[in-house]
Amino acid sequence: MKPTLITFLLALLFISETYSQSVYLLFDKSSAEANYAAEKLSFELASKKYTLTTSPKDYHYLINIGIAPSANGPESFEIKREGNKISVLGSDARGMIYGTLSLTESLRNGSSLKEIEYKTEKPHFPLRAIKHNTSWYSYRPSSALDLHTETLKDVKYWEAFLDMMVENRFNSLSIWNLHPFVFMIQAKNFPEASPFSPKEMEEWKKLHKSIFKMAKERAIETYIIPFNIFVSHEFANAHNIAQKNVYPNYYVPGDTSELVKRYTRESVTQVLQEYPELTGFGLTLGEGMAGMTPQQREDWMFDTYIEGMRLAGRPSKLVHRIPFSSTTESLGATSVDLERLTRKAIEKEAKLDFIDGPIWADLKYNWSHAHSTPKLVKVHGGEMFDTFYNPLPEGYKITYTARNEDFFALRWGVPQFVRDHIALNSHSYVGGYFVGSETYIPAKDYFTAVEGPVDWDFAFQRQWLFYKIWGRLLYNPETPDEVFAATYTNKYGVDGDKLLEAMSLASSTQMKIGSLYDSRWDFTLYGEGLMALVGDSTNYISADILINQPTLDPDYVSVKDYVLAKKSGKEFGKEKITPTVLVEMLESDCIKALELIKEISTKDNNSLMYELADIKIWANLGLHLAEKIKGSISLQSYREGLGANHQAEAVTSFTNALEYWDKIIAISRPIYKDMPLAHYNGSSHDRNENNLFHWALIRDEVAYDIEIAKSAVVKIQ
């Protein structure tokens, strides 16, 4: 029997090899970018049972990966097939990688090489960047941030993150912390500034050089963005200056002494010289600069960072964050005069021959909460005026930072929201987006409670859809939903269209929360927990707070304004989203989301289980909010003397809301750990060790709405 079986298996192997199609890859082996592209394509070809051959004469298919001029401009690509020859041609190295990844994606989604059709794409925005903070010298002190340190020191983490970026067409990585220099160099003239031994310093250098090298291989630009003015503890102690300008402080006076200037300027120069693959720097004019006028801040930057860039002896790029304080304070306050001053400074920088333009003049979209309304309502500090684009700029482009301080545990994905964002912000003076958080680092997975196999190692991989939607649509807003749905299908082998639609409907709850509840800086809203900064503390948004809080989206109507209008007989136009209209939207979207996934089995698939659980949590959060709004309308109507029956209605609605919250707890308690949350620092600048969040931990705050309704009294008219 054994000889017969062996003969049979060998025959099968022979048949398999006979019918396996061979592929010859033609590319420039001296190019790091071409090697990277070929490696990714080779892996997919092998998984689809194609055989790679090294013979340029004996093959079934030839795939040419190269660079060719294109009328579509930088970062574009073209894929074309002529018989058994497929050409993937980028207008530059980045376009070549994107084209190769597009071909790889087609194979992954089921196409064979003979089915490859002509395709071309070009970028919508020239800048598509990630904002990524580090846990060392982080902007805010919190265990929610410093728990990531070991993960961030792992080169494998950065390799995986950069792979994700290039796959999703992000072309720039910006790394942020208060004072990056001591982690990158031992300052030649200030060795006393370093807290590290020579061995430790070499480890830090190796990490940063690896990041920049891997980024360059993927045609990703890199920026270091410090906050200012900050130094190391060792520098401050050695010279008895800048004693407050050290981690973990941030709202502190600016020390503009000549020694601090020289140290900063020389550090900028040395970093650019020791890291030739680093693309550039970013300027942050705010924290660590209290007591300085806007002009003094610009002058300090020019004398330190800009002069340091000049002395580096090589061109570099610049992100000039538009300052948010028109006063000598660190808190946000915009003005036309500040915008004029800033524009003048940026235009001066743009004329310098060592600045590789355009300069990215960056603003925070809707302050710290871009996942709200796609309309630009405000920037950090308040209203944005037209100074930066009237007249149109020549040496710079406006960019927007789409901050996410609102959801970290739950997966999110609403493609149409990002398309709407782009449609409203595609003016000729806009250069693109930075996407990322201040209060969250997507490195260590500190969420997952279930023991067993999952398809992620790092936190950002849990949020794969978030990054895919933002990156792919910033590159090409016409990217169809099928691209995102196909990834669901490839990952889980189930109906991707249903999963994408359900996630889109359910997680749109976040935008409704963000549009209904006006918010400002980082800790003022935490959407997935329905929490906000109230006074000095972050708490669940009570009925009383919700009733009185203004809306962020000007088309939304607050509960208070709605009830007052109802009392006076006023009606709202069809364009307005009143609380009752919002209730209908929430109920319709969330009920449909739950209906779409109810038949999907998650047996023996923890990863799919988490995907569905997050959809269910978002949906139940939306239904909870709908009942909460109903209860708030009834409560305020009772207080305004519109009928005694409204009090009982409020109690009923808040009771229903609590039942939905209990469903959230039932879903999340077994699968999510108690999670450190930086928002629990509140309005304090100090870290708070009592900072664990879970929906179960704030149930008492949620239930208190019922007591608020029961104890309500009619307002004296």
Side-chain angles (χ1 to χ4, degrees):
M1 291 293 291
K2 286 185 178 180
T4 305
L5 178 59
I6 291 172
T7 303
F8 176 70
L9 291 174
L10 287 172
L12 284 178
L13 180 61
F14 175 79
I15 293 171
S16 175
E17 290 179 340
T18 301
Y19 286 93
S20 175
Q21 294 181 309
S22 60
V23 179
Y24 178 70
L25 297 185
L26 177 63
F27 63 95
D28 180 1
K29 294 179 176 59
S30 68
S31 163
E33 296 90 344
N35 274 282
Y36 178 81
E39 179 185 347
K40 292 299 178 183
L41 179 58
S42 297
F43 180 85
E44 193 61 41
L45 287 166
S47 73
K48 298 301 181 184
K49 308 306 180 186
Y50 289 97
T51 301
L52 294 172
T53 178
T54 57
S55 171
K57 297 180 180 180
D58 184 19
Y59 55 78
H60 292 95
Y61 287 95
L62 180 148
I63 301 178
N64 175 32
I65 302 171
I67 297 174
S70 171
N72 285 331
E75 304 185 70
S76 62
F77 67 84
E78 180 182 46
I79 301 173
K80 53 186 178 181
R81 182 174 61 83
E82 298 172 311
N84 67 338
K85 294 180 174 62
I86 298 172
S87 295
V88 182
L89 301 175
S91 60
D92 49 25
R94 190 174 291 153
M96 174 184 65
I97 292 176
Y98 292 166
T100 308
L101 292 175
S102 180
L103 175 59
T104 301
E105 183 176 69
S106 295
L107 294 171
R108 187 183 306 127
N109 291 342
S111 295
S112 64
L113 289 178
K114 71 177 180 180
E115 295 171 322
I116 296 301
E117 298 179 348
Y118 179 82
K119 183 178 183 180
T120 183
E121 283 191 85
K122 63 180 181 179
H124 184 77
F125 288 123
L127 180 78
R128 305 174 303 281
I130 290 289
K131 168 181 164 51
H132 194 304
N133 286 27
T134 70
S135 56
W136 41 90
Y137 279 33
S138 60
Y139 175 54
R140 300 189 186 280
S142 175
S143 62
L145 302 176
D146 54 38
L147 63 84
H148 296 282
T149 297
E150 291 307 312
T151 306
L152 292 179
K153 287 182 177 181
D154 185 352
V155 172
K156 291 182 179 179
Y157 165 77
W158 291 102
E159 181 180 21
F161 194 85
L162 290 163
D163 279 342
M164 176 278 295
M165 285 183 61
V166 70
E167 180 179 330
N168 294 323
R169 315 301 192 257
F170 287 105
N171 65 5
S172 298
L173 170 67
S174 60
I175 301 175
W176 305 55
N177 64 42
L178 292 182
H179 185 63
F181 302 113
V182 291
F183 300 95
M184 300 180 72
I185 59 169
Q186 177 137 23
K188 294 175 182 176
N189 294 319
F190 298 94
E192 71 279 6
S194 177
F196 303 115
S197 68
K199 181 180 179 181
E200 290 171 327
M201 192 71 250
E202 284 305 310
E203 291 175 353
W204 282 110
K205 286 184 178 181
K206 182 179 179 182
L207 172 65
H208 284 95
K209 287 182 178 179
S210 295
I211 294 170
F212 301 146
K213 179 177 182 292
M214 291 188 296
K216 190 174 186 303
E217 290 170 350
R218 292 156 177 77
I220 292 173
E221 295 184 345
T222 46
Y223 296 84
I224 294 296
I225 304 187
F227 293 86
N228 291 280
I229 301 168
F230 295 98
V231 298
S232 68
H233 287 270
E234 290 74 15
F235 178 91
N237 292 334
H239 299 283
N240 196 29
I241 55 176
Q243 291 290 326
K244 294 183 178 180
N245 300 77
V246 294
Y247 175 83
N249 304 321
Y250 47 96
Y251 277 0
V252 293
D255 188 316
T256 59
S257 60
E258 286 303 313
L259 198 61
V260 172
K261 279 188 178 181
R262 181 184 160 205
Y263 166 65
T264 304
R265 179 171 55 247
E266 291 185 10
S267 293
V268 170
T269 299
Q270 190 173 336
V271 164
L272 287 172
Q273 290 176 339
E274 289 195 18
Y275 296 92
E277 292 170 325
L278 174 65
T279 305
F281 271 98
L283 308 182
T284 301
L285 300 87
E287 291 80 5
M289 302 185 94
M292 301 171 67
T293 67
Q295 185 63 60
Q296 287 173 329
R297 291 171 181 170
E298 293 288 358
D299 291 344
W300 194 89
M301 287 294 184
F302 198 88
D303 292 342
T304 54
Y305 281 82
I306 303 303
E307 179 63 7
M309 293 169 74
R310 183 186 72 82
L311 293 171
R314 71 168 176 94
S316 52
K317 294 191 175 184
L318 180 64
V319 179
H320 190 127
R321 298 186 72 206
I322 293 173
F324 52 76
S325 180
S326 59
T327 70
T328 58
E329 299 298 322
S330 295
L331 298 175
T334 61
S335 74
V336 173
D337 286 343
L338 176 63
E339 289 192 353
R340 288 172 180 162
L341 184 153
T342 305
R343 175 165 183 161
K344 183 179 179 181
I346 295 173
E347 288 175 336
K348 177 182 176 181
E349 293 159 357
K351 294 176 182 177
L352 300 173
D353 59 5
F354 56 89
I355 300 292
D356 185 4
I359 292 173
W360 307 120
D362 189 60
L363 290 155
K364 284 195 274 186
Y365 202 94
N366 286 338
W367 212 314
S368 294
H369 305 276
H371 296 83
S372 50
T373 172
K375 308 179 190 107
L376 180 59
V377 179
K378 58 185 172 183
V379 295
H380 191 136
E383 179 183 359
M384 178 183 175
F385 305 95
D386 70 351
T387 314
F388 290 105
Y389 54 85
N390 184 19
L392 292 175
E394 294 182 1
Y396 67 88
K397 293 277 190 181
I398 293 289
T399 62
Y400 296 113
T401 292
R403 289 268 291 273
N404 171 34
E405 315 303 339
D406 302 306
F407 54 90
F408 310 137
L410 299 181
R411 292 156 179 81
W412 177 94
V414 189
Q416 193 55 48
F417 169 75
V418 177
R419 292 191 187 99
D420 292 343
H421 232 286
I422 294 168
L424 290 171
N425 297 289
S426 290
H427 312 289
S428 62
Y429 55 82
V430 177
Y433 282 69
F434 289 84
V435 179
S437 305
E438 197 77 76
T439 57
Y440 170 64
I441 297 172
K444 180 181 174 64
D445 173 16
Y446 57 97
F447 309 102
T448 304
V450 170
E451 294 184 4
V454 291
D455 63 3
W456 63 85
D457 296 311
F458 305 111
F460 76 86
Q461 293 166 330
R462 301 172 62 258
Q463 289 279 9
W464 64 269
L465 185 59
F466 173 92
Y467 292 103
K468 186 172 287 290
I469 287 173
W470 270 110
R472 295 296 291 271
L473 293 177
L474 288 173
Y475 180 77
N476 180 4
E478 296 180 2
T479 301
D481 281 356
E482 286 77 12
V483 168
F484 312 119
T487 307
Y488 268 121
T489 302
N490 289 333
K491 286 170 73 71
Y492 305 119
V494 297
D495 192 335
D497 290 334
K498 281 187 177 181
L499 284 170
L500 179 65
E501 184 180 3
M503 178 59 80
S504 181
L505 289 167
S507 63
S508 66
T509 295
Q510 163 58 41
M511 274 72 73
K512 297 180 179 77
I513 293 170
S515 297
L516 175 65
Y517 194 94
D518 187 25
S519 53
R520 297 171 288 118
W521 54 280
D522 311 355
F523 297 166
T524 55
L525 184 65
Y526 176 54
E528 68 186 358
L530 205 60
M531 298 167 68
L533 184 70
V534 180
D536 291 331
S537 303
T538 300
N539 299 106
Y540 172 78
I541 299 171
S542 70
D544 283 337
I545 297 299
L546 181 66
I547 288 168
N548 292 289
Q549 184 72 3
T551 66
L552 175 64
D553 190 319
D555 288 339
Y556 274 58
V557 178
S558 71
V559 171
K560 181 179 180 179
D561 289 347
Y562 175 75
V563 173
L564 287 175
K566 184 179 176 183
K567 184 177 181 180
S568 65
K570 175 185 174 182
E571 293 186 359
F572 294 97
K574 291 184 179 179
E575 78 282 359
K576 291 294 186 180
I577 299 176
T578 65
T580 53
V581 170
L582 181 56
V583 166
E584 292 173 2
M585 293 165 61
L586 285 162
E587 291 181 336
S588 173
D589 289 349
C590 295
I591 290 171
K592 184 175 181 181
L594 293 172
E595 182 68 22
L596 282 166
I597 63 171
K598 71 177 184 179
E599 300 299 330
I600 297 177
S601 171
T602 63
K603 184 179 180 182
D604 299 325
N605 192 328
N606 288 332
S607 301
L608 178 57
M609 178 274 292
Y610 270 99
E611 296 272 3
L612 295 186
D614 285 2
I615 292 171
K616 292 173 185 176
I617 293 171
W618 275 123
N620 280 286
L621 185 63
L623 295 171
H624 165 84
L625 179 58
E627 289 294 337
K628 184 181 184 69
I629 294 171
K630 291 179 190 176
S632 298
I633 294 170
S634 297
L635 174 59
Q636 189 66 5
S637 297
Y638 172 70
R639 287 171 170 167
E640 290 291 337
L642 298 180
N645 60 302
H646 289 303
Q647 184 176 35
E649 292 171 355
V651 171
T652 298
S653 292
F654 291 142
T655 301
N656 292 340
L658 182 60
E659 290 177 359
Y660 282 117
W661 198 268
D662 284 336
K663 289 183 180 180
I664 293 171
I665 294 172
I667 298 165
S668 63
R669 204 22 148 176
I671 64 174
Y672 278 107
K673 298 176 181 178
D674 293 351
M675 301 163 275
L677 181 66
H679 295 61
Y680 274 128
N681 283 12
S683 62
S684 172
H685 295 173
D686 300 321
R687 65 188 291 138
N688 176 12
E689 299 299 345
N690 184 24
N691 67 351
L692 293 180
F693 168 78
H694 194 285
W695 296 272
L697 298 178
I698 61 171
R699 185 186 186 278
D700 288 347
E701 295 179 49
V702 178
Y704 190 66
D705 277 350
I706 299 170
E707 301 307 314
I708 292 175
K710 287 180 178 179
S711 61
V713 295
V714 178
K715 185 173 71 175
I716 298 175
Q717 304 299 316

